[in-house]
Amino acid sequence: MRGVAVFVNFVSKRIHPSTLKDAFETYGKVIDVFIAINNIKRRDMRSTFAFVSFSNLKEAMNAINGANNRKIDGFDIKVISDTNVSGFAYHHTVKDWVINQEVPKSKGLQK
């Protein structure tokens, strides 16, 4: 199944994919989670990055608006469109993102 992915930066290397999935399900149906555990560029860092894939664009936008700058597992994560990440194309995505709606704050992530 294809979806719309968001790029999640500064993810704890200790986090389990199911924990990340549960945190993002607040914003919509998560169809896939990929965490870059063995990224060579981040080998000496405590954090890594992940892609969380949603079933549609609206849910992905909800995640960008609601989860960006939230704390999960002790790390302040950054959530952006995966089309804004140079060199990555994890899933099919929409090229032109319009983010202009208010989204309720998540209970799964802390500010």
Side-chain angles (χ1 to χ4, degrees):
M1 178 182 275
R2 301 185 92 169
V4 180
V6 297
F7 176 78
V8 185
N9 205 6
F10 307 113
V11 174
S12 169
K13 288 183 177 179
R14 303 180 310 235
I15 199 162
H16 191 274
S18 65
T19 303
L20 197 59
K21 180 180 180 184
D22 290 346
F24 276 87
E25 292 230 313
T26 301
Y27 305 106
K29 182 179 179 186
V30 174
I31 58 174
D32 195 20
V33 173
F34 169 79
I35 301 173
I37 299 297
N38 295 319
N39 183 283
I40 196 159
K41 290 183 179 180
R42 298 189 184 205
R43 137 182 83 216
D44 297 328
M45 296 175 66
R46 291 179 35 227
S47 68
T48 189
F49 64 89
F51 287 96
V52 177
S53 194
F54 291 90
S55 60
N56 62 56
L57 177 61
K58 181 180 179 186
E59 293 170 349
M61 289 178 13
N62 288 345
I64 291 170
N65 287 329
N68 190 40
N69 295 316
R70 294 297 181 97
K71 191 175 290 284
I72 184 169
D73 197 27
F75 287 79
D76 294 321
I77 62 171
K78 304 294 180 201
V79 183
I80 62 171
S81 158
D82 82 341
T83 60
N84 292 332
V85 182
S86 178
F88 288 101
Y90 183 61
H91 281 290
H92 171 73
T93 57
V94 175
K95 296 294 178 196
D96 299 313
W97 287 71
V98 179
I99 303 169
N100 58 8
Q101 64 187 41
E102 285 292 316
V103 178
K105 299 295 182 194
S106 165
K107 293 181 181 176
L109 302 173
Q110 304 134 11
K111 188 128 188 164

